[in-house]
Amino acid sequence: MKPHFSHLTPEQQKTFGNGCGLYSKWLRVPQFAFKASCRHHDFLYVVGGGIKDKIYADWHFFVAMVYDAKDSKRPVFYTLMAILYLLGVTIFGVFAFHWSTQYRTLAEILEYDRLKKEINGII
C-alpha cells in the first residue's frame, strides 16, 4: 500500500522534511507561504515511484501553492513564486525524487527523514 501524508501524525506533518529546498541548513530557498505545501511535497518525493508519481507530486505541489497564494496578502506575487517553484522541482527534482518500482513504507520514510536531518545537522 502506498503511504499517504495523512498517515503521519499532525506533529510529524509539521516537521517532515525541511520545508522548501534541500535537506541542508546551508542551502535554503525562501519558504514564503508554502511551508506546509513543501513538507507534503517532500513526503511524496521520499515515498518515490515512477515518472507518474513525480508528475503527480509536482502538480499537487503547484496546486497547493496556488491555493496558498490565493489566500495571501500578495496573491499575484505568490502565484509567480509558485510557477518558479514548479519549474525548479520539475527540472532539479529528478535528483531528489526516489526513483523506484516500489514505494517506501511509512517506517522507511520516517527513518530516511530522520537520517537526512541528522546528517545535515538539522536535528
Side-chain angles (χ1 to χ4, degrees), residues 70-83:
K70 200 171 64 167
D71 291 337
S72 74
K73 293 181 181 180
R74 299 170 60 193
V76 174
F77 172 76
Y78 287 119
T79 300
L80 291 172
M81 290 297 102
I83 293 167

Side-chain angles (χ1 to χ4, degrees), residues 19-78:
C20 301
L22 306 170
Y23 277 93
S24 171
K25 62 182 175 182
W26 306 112
L27 181 60
R28 300 288 300 232
V29 296
Q31 300 293 305
F32 296 117
F34 307 136
K35 198 168 192 174
S37 302
C38 291
R39 292 193 184 284
H40 193 173
H41 186 252
D42 287 349
F43 180 84
L44 292 173
Y45 264 43
V46 174
V47 170
I51 188 67
K52 289 181 183 179
D53 297 295
K54 183 184 179 310
I55 291 169
Y56 171 81
D58 293 346
W59 184 251
H60 184 275
F61 181 45
F62 177 68
V63 170
M65 287 187 295
V66 169
Y67 183 79
D68 290 343
K70 200 171 64 167
D71 291 337
S72 74
K73 293 181 181 180
R74 299 170 60 193
V76 174
F77 172 76
Y78 287 119

Side-chain angles (χ1 to χ4, degrees), residues 81-100:
M81 290 297 102
I83 293 167
L84 287 175
Y85 276 46
L86 176 63
L87 289 171
V89 297
T90 300
I91 295 166
F92 299 108
V94 296
F95 303 109
F97 188 81
H98 173 65
W99 299 101
S100 178

